[in-house]
Amino acid sequence: MTTAIEQIGRSGLHAVRASLDTLAFAFKILARMFDVRAYNSAVRMVLINQIYFTSVQILPLFLAVAVIFGAIVIGIIGQYLIHLGLFDYFGQLLMGFVVTEFAPFITVLLIALRSGSAVNAEIAVMKVNKELNTLHVFRIDEINYLFLPRILSGILSIVLLSSLFSIIVLASGLIFSSLLFDMSMNDYVTALLASAKFSDLIVMLIKCAIMGFFIVMIPIRYGMRATDELTSIPVSVLHGMVNVFIAIMIIEVVSLIVVSSISKFI
Amino acid sequence: MRLYSSEELLNRELCDIMAQEKHRLGLVSLDAPLISNLSVLSNIALIKQYHGGLTVPEAEDIAEMRLKKLHLEDIAAKRNSVLLEVQRFCAMILRAVMVEDAMVVIDRPFKIMPDLDDTHFIREVLTSVDDLFRECHIFDYLWNEERYTGGMIHGA
């Protein structure tokens, strides 16, 4: 019994320490993000490459997912609202659910699966190959050169792709609502505009930026934990991706609490 | 040329020199490999981009000229994994001499190029770029002494 309690305590302490380490690392990166001297030509080149890998290469898949998911979600929401006699709330559901919750979630999931795992593996491979040692020997700061461009690209990508996802879903909603529910373009736009809240959009963008930060920072952190062994690469990717998923859930829950608190306060 | 009787001794001395001369150190070692997701050209140009504040084209022009000096233009776009041992060594030398006022430290060259019998090739490479570095030190084991016969290299 005592051993079991000790074990729980040890695991708890380990989890708390790991979380504190991650937060300390996050603050270190944040501090560097606002240091203009960090952005030299080499860093800018990496940033441009990373934006291309994260935001541009994914576009065909992303656009297809946005159109398909958008059509499905709008179809299901519309059918249920008609069934319940609540079709007047169509606009509110689109803005409140699709734009502020669904779009960021799907975007974050896609980017985490594609780029988060790639960054985790890349950093772990560099660690195993002693390439991080090369940077150290040639006095190239790994935070500035490797981490900062990847994290910035994560933030920019999530914010921009999430906005693009919302626009595509709303645009496909225009087509599908007229096909499925005989809704005119005028009614659709009026319903959306009546439900649009500036504060919701701001909260969505902030949430996207925070998620973008963590879904790249956590894989970097776990990539750095790889040892000299090749076998440590899959282990670091596995742990990194599980923790990214946990972080996404935590940010979603915290953002919901914050939004509901703000709504009550207003 | 600095020869040591044990790995421990060699590593200790190497660490000392790396700590003392870190601002002008151009290390050529398997422990500081080329960055695998960059081409040879980008690996060489990176030093001037990061420390010299040069733009990508400016730094790559210099790197290209240096590759031409060793007649290695054809490996500019290649990555570390496809290079021959001697090409990898040359790329690491060119990266090392990109450091301002460089002190080139070659760590166990026969570990980088195990097929070499002597230092003839190393000397040839260093002579081709001897205007680009201030001094050069080679660290190796005492039992490789025979392979170093025939005079030593510039500055060492």
Side-chain angles (χ1 to χ4, degrees):
Chain A
M1 181 67 179
T2 318
T3 318
I5 294 170
E6 276 176 3
Q7 186 59 40
I8 294 167
R10 225 174 278 130
S11 305
L13 278 175
H14 179 75
V16 170
R17 267 193 217 116
S19 307
L20 287 177
D21 280 353
T22 304
L23 283 177
F25 186 64
F27 280 116
K28 205 171 169 183
I29 301 269
L30 268 177
R32 206 63 72 83
M33 211 175 265
F34 296 103
D35 183 356
V36 204
R37 287 168 302 174
Y39 301 94
N40 57 35
S41 123
V43 175
R44 287 198 300 270
M45 190 185 76
V46 180
L47 178 61
I48 291 167
N49 284 338
Q50 288 301 318
I51 290 174
Y52 174 73
F53 295 141
T54 313
S55 308
V56 182
Q57 276 190 338
I58 199 177
L59 272 179
L61 169 75
F62 188 79
L63 294 176
V65 168
V67 171
I68 293 166
F69 271 77
I72 293 170
V73 167
I74 284 170
I76 293 170
I77 288 176
Q79 291 287 0
Y80 265 97
L81 289 179
I82 289 171
H83 184 69
L84 296 170
L86 297 169
F87 199 71
D88 291 346
Y89 293 97
F90 187 61
Q92 267 174 311
L93 256 168
L94 279 186
M95 291 305 288
F97 172 67
V98 175
V99 174
T100 61
E101 297 299 331
F102 187 69
F105 186 71
I106 294 289
T107 310
V108 162
L109 224 51
L110 276 175
I111 299 290
L113 286 172
R114 192 177 178 276
S115 300
S117 54
V119 166
N120 198 326
E122 187 185 22
I123 300 294
V125 167
M126 288 185 83
K127 180 90 187 286
V128 172
N129 281 348
K130 297 179 182 171
E131 289 170 31
L132 296 181
N133 188 43
T134 301
L135 297 181
H136 176 71
V137 164
F138 286 95
R139 295 182 299 116
I140 294 171
D141 190 304
E142 59 190 17
I143 292 184
N144 290 359
Y145 180 68
L146 280 183
F147 307 161
L148 205 54
R150 283 164 178 78
I151 290 173
L152 274 175
S153 136
I155 295 172
L156 283 172
S157 303
I158 299 288
V159 170
L160 295 176
L161 289 176
S162 190
S163 308
L164 181 65
F165 192 99
S166 301
I167 291 167
I168 290 170
V169 169
L170 294 179
S172 65
L174 176 67
I175 299 163
F176 287 103
S177 57
S178 74
L179 288 175
L180 297 173
F181 316 120
D182 285 332
M183 200 175 185
S184 72
M185 184 180 166
N186 191 33
D187 288 346
Y188 182 79
V189 173
T190 310
L192 284 185
L193 288 178
S195 320
K197 278 189 208 157
F198 187 66
S199 60
D200 282 352
L201 295 178
I202 296 295
V203 169
M204 180 205 103
L205 292 177
I206 293 171
K207 188 168 82 176
C208 286
I210 294 171
M211 280 182 168
F213 181 86
F214 281 101
I215 64 159
V216 182
M217 194 215 71
I218 292 171
I220 285 175
R221 189 146 175 73
Y222 279 86
M224 291 288 287
R225 285 188 185 176
T227 61
D228 291 343
E229 307 266 336
L230 273 176
T231 47
S232 68
I233 296 173
V235 176
S236 91
V237 176
L238 184 150
H239 287 148
M241 294 319 289
V242 168
N243 279 280
V244 161
F245 191 72
I246 293 170
I248 292 172
M249 291 301 139
I250 291 172
I251 295 167
E252 275 291 343
V253 171
V254 170
S255 75
L256 280 174
I257 293 169
V258 170
V259 169
S260 64
S261 307
I262 291 171
S263 311
K264 274 181 199 166
F265 186 72
I266 290 169
Chain B
M1 176 175 56
R2 301 177 180 202
L3 302 176
Y4 299 90
S5 56
S6 72
E7 186 172 8
E8 192 190 354
L9 207 58
L10 188 151
N11 284 336
R12 200 190 310 143
E13 290 292 318
L14 193 60
C15 283
D16 282 350
I17 201 168
M18 280 166 67
Q20 285 162 15
E21 303 289 347
K22 63 180 177 187
H23 292 288
R24 58 189 197 104
L25 176 75
L27 185 65
V28 177
S29 167
L30 283 184
D31 288 334
L34 298 173
I35 306 290
S36 55
N37 61 8
L38 294 179
S39 65
V40 168
L41 190 74
S42 302
N43 262 289
I44 299 168
L46 176 64
I47 311 297
K48 287 277 182 215
Q49 264 179 268
Y50 197 88
H51 293 298
L54 300 189
T55 61
V56 180
E58 285 168 347
E60 287 191 347
D61 278 351
I62 297 174
E64 215 172 323
M65 279 192 298
R66 306 250 160 121
L67 277 167
K68 273 182 192 161
K69 233 176 165 179
L70 294 183
H71 311 291
L72 287 171
E73 310 91 292
D74 54 323
I75 67 162
K78 288 185 179 173
R79 299 210 172 179
N80 188 30
S81 57
V82 295
L83 297 179
L84 301 172
E85 284 154 357
V86 286
Q87 291 173 333
R88 188 172 297 125
F89 175 78
C90 290
M92 287 201 277
I93 287 281
L94 289 177
R95 181 182 62 179
V97 298
M98 289 294 261
V99 174
E100 198 68 39
D101 201 19
M103 174 205 258
V104 176
V105 172
I106 306 176
D107 172 24
R108 287 161 279 199
F110 296 109
K111 209 171 149 187
I112 304 171
M113 300 169 290
D115 293 339
L116 285 193
D117 293 326
D118 54 36
T119 54
H120 183 76
F121 174 76
I122 301 170
R123 261 182 276 164
E124 226 172 62
V125 172
L126 287 172
T127 309
S128 310
V129 293
D130 65 356
D131 54 324
L132 302 173
F133 62 92
R134 175 73 68 90
E135 52 186 304
C136 175
H137 298 273
I138 298 181
F139 282 66
D140 212 330
Y141 299 118
L142 206 52
W143 54 84
N144 276 330
E145 193 172 12
E146 271 182 24
R147 295 163 112 174
Y148 286 96
T149 50
M152 205 38 244
I153 303 149
H154 164 91

